[in-house]
Amino acid sequence: MATEADTCRRYVLPRLYEAGWTDEQISEQRTFTDGRIMVTGAKVWRRPQKRADYLLRYRPDLMLAVVEAKASDKSPGDGLQQAKDYATVLDLKFAYSTNGRGIVEFDFLTGRETMLEAFPKPDELWKRLQRTIGLKGADQEQRFLAPTLPIAGKPLRYYQEIAINHVIRALLAGQRRVLVNMATGTGKTDVAFHICWKLWSSRWNRTGEPRRPRMLFLSDRSILVDDPKDKQFAPFGDARWKIQGEAIKSREMYFATYQAIAEDERRPGLYRDYPPGFFDLIVVDECHRGSARDESNWREILEYFAPAYQFGMTATPLRDENRDSYAYFGDPVYSYSLRQGIDDGFLAPYRVHRIVTDVDAAGWRPLRDEVDRYGRLIPDGEYETADFERIVALRARTQAIAKSIADFLKATDPYAKTIVFCVDQEHADDMRRAISNECSEFVRAHPDYAVRVVSDEGDIGRGHLSRFQEPEGVTPVVVTTSRLLTTGIDAPTCKNIVIARMVDSMTEFKQIIGRGTRVRADQGKLWFSILDYTGSATRLFADPEFDGDPIDPPTETPVDRPIPPLEGIGPYDFPEDVPPEPMEASLRKLYVDGGLVEISTHIVYELDSQGRRLRVVRYVDYASEHVRSLWTTAADLRAHWSNADERSSIVESLETRGISLDQLAEAVGQPEADPFDLLCYVAFNAPLRTRRERAEQLRRGRGDFWERFKPEAQTILSEVLEKYVEHGTTQFKIPDILKVAPLSGHGNILEIAEKFGGADNLRSAINSMQSLLYSDAA
């Protein structure tokens, strides 16, 4: 009987070669996901990657089919469902299953399943697919199949290939406005580069002239333009140009911010210096942030360049706050969500800390006739989280939050990159100062340990941000900001996101969370923490549409609470002997410097293995439920646990459900408990025993077992048992345990085995001891 590996080697490859597929077109045993990152307590691991037996490519950037092979004694179609599942993920239209002799094809274009004598030839499959793509003529086919530019060490992920091909296909079909929705951290800018490169290298343009296209990359922030120009788009070389101050027209790959070319009080708009038909393609980055809004001045720019094809990129599904973008660009030609990114292991999962100060929990009320820092009377009333730093600024609250952040860093990693989102620029500066004071021992060594990065900081702030983004850079560690860093900032080693202001927009919330979702395994960044001081994360994660597909949202969405007028208080109503300080006139805050604020609650939430929220304080209940779902009684669990191989499977099964035996022992407060007894205790209310108690019972109560061995062999078994007492059931692993003291003092592995009459007898003795260790389990 041929195994699956035999089927691949002996039968599948030769038959693919016979059909005309070459080694360059065949990807064998190809993984296309990284495997979801799982975090259980302090333990981090990945679930298995998705791996296809064969992926068949017509061109390097165009996959056509997936092939799954099964052993020769299986039916040819046994692997078809897996092949269809993989094909669905990979957006392929042809799936095949084979046992080496028979071949079963499923054609997604027709919905038909067919038995075949041979695999289709590459050109045959391409022609079948091409009929549904709608390419017209050899020129369109050549441009669709034009290669992307290979980047060393940065191969395209499967979903990026799909996005690129869908956009190119839409543009070639004459679709004037195209939208892609991809979660933050999944490489939208890389996708934009490869689309532009394919069009540029194939000399596509909207008029069909023999020239390269003129393309504009447009965004609303300088860093979102400068970074792509200088990094991803560097291969364009001298064809690049950033528009600022002058309408240069001799290049082909242009970059601009809306502000640099829009109309303002000083000029009619630099964009008008270009003819409406000048650009062939406009790439609109972060298009959900206003460019397509009906009332936006920036909308005028897009409408002025209406002859150009326009490609919008967004990281947010359809919501009320970005409905205009979807109405302008239309439905996305491709979407890849945050949930998909986390499931595939390309994005980092997160742990949420809901931290509540006493004034956020109960509200804050001023004392009778209390005045603020500038002598202004504070109106009586209950002030809540939404009011803090908008109506009233409580210095004690800012200091309490800063101390909480500092304590968290000191308890976890003082140099873990952290972004703190504050209410406004002033709040960001107050928070920076408070965190610096709480972390003075680190600030002494690194004066830039905590910095503020806001629009007013200019070049200084950009310098701080640039160093913060460097994966190898040590400082800055903490960056405080308001809204500047909510989007488009690539900080791959950011491990902590702090929310110190209300966030009511789901669009903005997902952008904030996206600052932490990048994975950098080489820097130890596989997951991140969210410290939520306002309830925004806890509330928005509970939204049933969080991370869902782009569908219509509810008719109502939360909005900021209106700021009530403060009677008798104007922006310059200060006592004459107190000099006024700059204030944001639109906020008109009251400043309270006294009082005491403390942290009243700290609750930790995690995502469980199904992506739902798991409350750690209920960890024991969660574990109990899952243990009972797998084993109905303690006797059922014992029957499997006493076997070493099955015990490993049990531990692995629990871990895939987010249950760590070490974390469970810590939650129960019994670090010395035997893991089997621990599971029976939480699931079946059985007596809880320590490993020492169970070992001593075996030593005293099973003399018949010990009498089977000579004295030195008894000593060796007793030492193995003592290792179990100290470290748990992992110590029963042979031959690893024989290499450590005191067991290594009995000789090498072969010499120790001889004391039992050979390796098989040694292994049998260890297995028997494990079975007897649990033979009396209730």
Side-chain angles (χ1 to χ4, degrees):
M1 178 189 72
T3 64
E4 290 185 14
D6 293 331
T7 300
C8 291
R9 184 170 54 254
R10 298 179 187 175
Y11 303 109
V12 180
L13 266 178
R15 301 194 72 175
L16 288 172
Y17 291 148
E18 288 173 7
W21 297 91
T22 66
D23 287 335
E24 289 73 24
Q25 294 175 304
I26 301 170
S27 297
E28 186 175 3
Q29 293 298 310
R30 175 66 181 271
T31 59
F32 55 90
T33 70
D34 281 356
R36 180 182 175 129
I37 299 168
M38 302 296 296
V39 183
T40 305
K43 183 176 180 181
V44 183
W45 78 101
R46 285 186 182 269
R47 282 185 170 178
Q49 301 168 308
K50 290 180 180 177
R51 175 178 297 176
D53 288 334
Y54 294 97
L55 295 177
L56 305 182
R57 294 178 177 272
Y58 188 63
R59 291 290 188 270
D61 302 319
L62 182 64
M63 281 188 285
L64 290 182
V66 58
V67 180
E68 284 298 305
K70 292 300 176 183
S72 60
D73 64 331
K74 302 289 186 181
S75 167
D78 277 5
L80 189 61
Q81 186 56 54
Q82 186 177 44
K84 290 167 67 176
D85 291 344
Y86 286 169
T88 300
V89 172
L90 297 170
D91 195 41
L92 303 178
K93 303 308 177 187
F94 308 104
Y96 297 90
S97 176
T98 179
N99 63 353
R101 295 180 175 83
I103 301 171
V104 181
E105 175 193 79
F106 183 80
D107 184 338
F108 285 83
L109 301 175
T110 63
R112 295 181 62 83
E113 188 174 315
T114 309
M115 294 292 297
L116 304 177
E117 295 296 325
F119 286 107
K121 297 180 182 299
D123 285 338
E124 176 190 340
L125 274 192
W126 165 239
K127 288 177 181 177
R128 288 164 62 183
L129 178 64
Q130 188 181 14
R131 286 195 290 269
T132 67
I133 293 179
L135 299 177
K136 298 176 181 178
D139 284 347
Q140 284 200 356
E141 179 178 347
Q142 176 258 332
R143 284 169 177 141
F144 181 77
L145 295 175
T148 57
L149 181 67
I151 305 296
K154 200 173 184 181
L156 287 171
R157 294 169 176 168
Y158 79 87
Y159 62 85
Q160 293 173 322
E161 282 191 17
I162 297 172
I164 292 166
N165 288 329
H166 277 235
V167 172
I168 295 292
R169 173 181 169 182
L171 295 175
L172 293 176
Q175 186 172 326
R176 291 282 174 168
R177 296 173 184 172
V178 181
L179 180 66
V180 163
N181 171 23
M182 291 171 59
T184 299
T186 57
K188 293 189 298 296
T189 307
D190 293 329
V191 167
F193 162 73
H194 285 289
I195 288 169
C196 291
W197 183 266
K198 281 170 70 83
L199 297 174
W200 187 73
S201 62
S202 65
R203 305 181 75 86
W204 166 90
N205 58 72
R206 64 181 182 82
T207 61
E209 298 172 289
R211 61 174 176 83
R212 294 188 189 275
R214 294 184 290 264
M215 298 174 287
L216 172 64
F217 187 97
L218 192 60
S219 190
D220 66 342
R221 296 180 184 177
S222 291
I223 192 168
L224 302 184
V225 167
D226 294 340
D227 257 21
K229 178 179 74 70
D230 297 336
K231 295 176 182 176
Q232 285 96 333
F233 284 77
F236 278 93
D238 291 339
R240 294 169 297 163
W241 183 258
K242 182 179 179 181
I243 303 173
Q244 45 187 359
E246 183 181 1
I248 299 295
K249 300 175 183 176
S250 59
R251 308 301 172 90
E252 292 156 345
M253 189 68 242
Y254 294 82
F255 299 83
T257 62
Y258 296 106
Q259 296 89 333
I261 63 175
E263 178 180 354
D264 57 31
E265 65 277 2
R266 294 176 291 118
R267 58 190 181 190
L270 183 60
Y271 71 91
R272 295 183 183 277
D273 289 355
Y274 293 93
F278 182 80
F279 294 110
D280 298 289
L281 176 70
I282 298 178
V283 179
V284 186
D285 190 22
E286 307 290 357
C287 66
H288 60 273
R289 269 214 317 276
S291 61
R293 289 181 184 170
D294 290 335
E295 72 276 10
S296 171
N297 291 331
W298 301 340
R299 173 75 168 265
E300 295 179 5
I301 298 174
L302 299 183
E303 292 178 340
Y304 176 82
F305 291 118
Y309 286 74
Q310 298 177 9
F311 164 41
M313 300 188 296
T314 182
T316 57
L318 175 63
R319 304 282 296 190
D320 271 350
E321 62 260 33
N322 65 0
R323 189 178 293 278
D324 288 335
S325 294
Y326 279 77
Y328 182 83
F329 285 100
D331 292 334
V333 296
Y334 183 67
S335 295
Y336 187 76
S337 71
L338 175 63
R339 177 175 291 123
Q340 287 174 283
I342 292 176
D343 285 344
D344 285 343
F346 297 128
L347 296 180
Y350 44 82
R351 178 176 290 160
V352 182
H353 296 253
R354 176 66 177 107
I355 308 171
V356 188
T357 72
D358 49 15
V359 294
D360 287 274
W364 179 83
R365 188 167 190 167
L367 300 173
R368 182 181 179 87
D369 297 327
E370 184 173 356
V371 296
D372 80 339
R373 180 190 304 167
Y374 302 104
R376 298 176 296 177
L377 180 67
I378 303 174
D380 187 33
E382 289 285 347
Y383 295 86
E384 301 174 351
T385 301
D387 304 317
F388 298 140
E389 300 301 329
R390 298 177 70 237
I391 298 176
V392 58
L394 302 180
R395 176 180 290 177
R397 178 177 178 269
T398 297
Q399 291 174 338
I401 292 175
K403 184 178 186 306
S404 172
I405 295 169
D407 289 345
F408 179 84
L409 288 171
K410 294 173 185 178
T412 54
D413 178 0
Y415 289 94
K417 298 289 183 71
T418 301
I419 301 178
V420 185
F421 290 94
C422 303
V423 174
D424 54 34
Q425 297 190 23
E426 183 180 31
H427 186 214
D429 192 45
D430 291 341
M431 188 66 71
R432 175 204 59 78
R433 184 180 303 106
I435 292 173
S436 292
N437 290 337
E438 292 292 340
C439 296
S440 58
E441 64 268 42
F442 307 115
V443 176
R444 280 197 300 271
H446 304 283
D448 62 343
Y449 180 86
V451 299
R452 182 181 74 156
V453 175
V454 295
S455 57
D456 283 356
E457 298 285 355
D459 290 341
I460 295 176
R462 282 191 286 272
H464 288 322
L465 178 58
S466 179
R467 294 193 302 278
F468 182 81
Q469 291 177 278
E470 287 296 327
E472 291 77 20
V474 177
T475 59
V477 173
V478 179
V479 167
T480 65
T481 187
S482 175
R483 285 174 169 79
L484 183 63
L485 305 186
T486 55
T487 185
I489 304 301
D490 186 7
T493 55
C494 180
K495 293 184 177 180
N496 301 310
I497 299 295
V498 179
I499 301 177
R501 66 174 172 87
M502 293 291 291
V503 181
D504 287 319
S505 162
M506 177 65 80
T507 298
E508 183 181 19
F509 175 65
K510 294 188 75 171
Q511 293 287 340
I512 288 174
I513 298 308
R515 300 312 103 212
T517 54
R518 274 114 173 141
V519 173
R520 278 299 297 263
D522 60 325
Q523 297 287 330
K525 164 67 186 301
L526 290 169
W527 60 284
F528 68 104
S529 294
I530 301 169
L531 279 63
D532 178 15
Y533 290 92
T534 65
S536 299
T538 313
R539 172 171 45 82
L540 290 170
F541 276 133
D543 188 321
E545 292 192 14
F546 175 74
D547 212 15
D549 295 326
I551 56 175
D552 285 338
T555 55
E556 296 183 3
T557 54
V559 295
D560 286 341
R561 292 178 55 200
I563 302 175
L566 303 179
E567 295 184 4
I569 299 178
Y572 304 105
D573 291 339
F574 304 110
E576 292 183 2
D577 59 341
V578 179
E581 294 184 3
M583 297 182 61
E584 299 181 33
S586 62
L587 296 179
R588 300 190 305 166
K589 286 187 282 189
L590 296 158
Y591 297 84
V592 178
D593 296 334
L596 175 66
V597 175
E598 296 179 334
I599 300 298
S600 64
T601 305
H602 185 152
I603 303 172
V604 183
Y605 297 88
E606 290 182 334
L607 292 180
D608 67 10
S609 58
Q610 281 75 45
R612 296 190 293 266
R613 192 176 65 191
L614 170 63
R615 187 174 175 179
V616 170
V617 296
R618 295 177 179 170
Y619 188 76
V620 174
D621 295 337
Y622 172 82
S624 173
E625 175 186 342
H626 279 276
V627 171
R628 288 196 301 271
S629 71
L630 294 169
W631 304 280
T632 55
T633 65
D636 183 23
L637 175 58
R638 178 193 62 195
H640 299 280
W641 184 267
S642 58
N643 180 283
D645 292 334
E646 291 193 59
R647 182 166 61 247
S648 296
S649 298
I650 290 172
V651 173
E652 181 179 346
S653 178
L654 292 172
E655 287 182 341
T656 59
R657 289 163 173 79
I659 301 169
S660 160
L661 291 174
D662 290 339
Q663 188 178 4
L664 185 59
E666 182 180 346
V668 175
Q670 297 289 339
E672 302 300 322
D674 178 88
F676 170 78
D677 292 305
L678 183 68
L679 293 173
C680 290
Y681 171 74
V682 300
F684 309 112
N685 201 28
L688 188 61
R689 305 183 218 184
T690 67
R691 295 190 296 273
R692 172 70 65 187
E693 290 172 337
R694 191 167 282 284
E696 290 303 320
Q697 185 169 346
L698 175 59
R699 284 190 174 111
R700 293 193 306 266
R702 296 307 301 258
D704 56 328
F705 169 73
W706 299 99
E707 290 170 359
R708 291 162 46 191
F709 306 101
K710 296 178 180 180
E712 189 170 6
Q714 291 182 20
T715 301
I716 292 171
L717 291 174
S718 183
E719 290 171 352
V720 171
L721 191 60
E722 190 61 28
K723 288 292 183 182
Y724 151 78
V725 171
E726 295 174 3
H727 304 291
T729 54
T730 56
Q731 301 304 303
F732 290 128
K733 189 175 181 181
I734 301 294
D736 297 1
I737 188 59
L738 305 178
K739 300 176 184 178
V740 300
L743 288 103
S744 58
H746 296 280
N748 60 37
I749 295 174
L750 291 177
E751 290 170 340
I752 293 175
E754 282 303 315
K755 302 181 190 304
F756 290 82
D760 290 342
N761 289 340
L762 168 61
R763 193 172 301 278
S764 175
I766 297 291
N767 289 338
S768 296
M769 185 168 67
Q770 293 181 72
S771 298
L772 292 173
L773 190 65
Y774 296 105
S775 63
D776 62 339

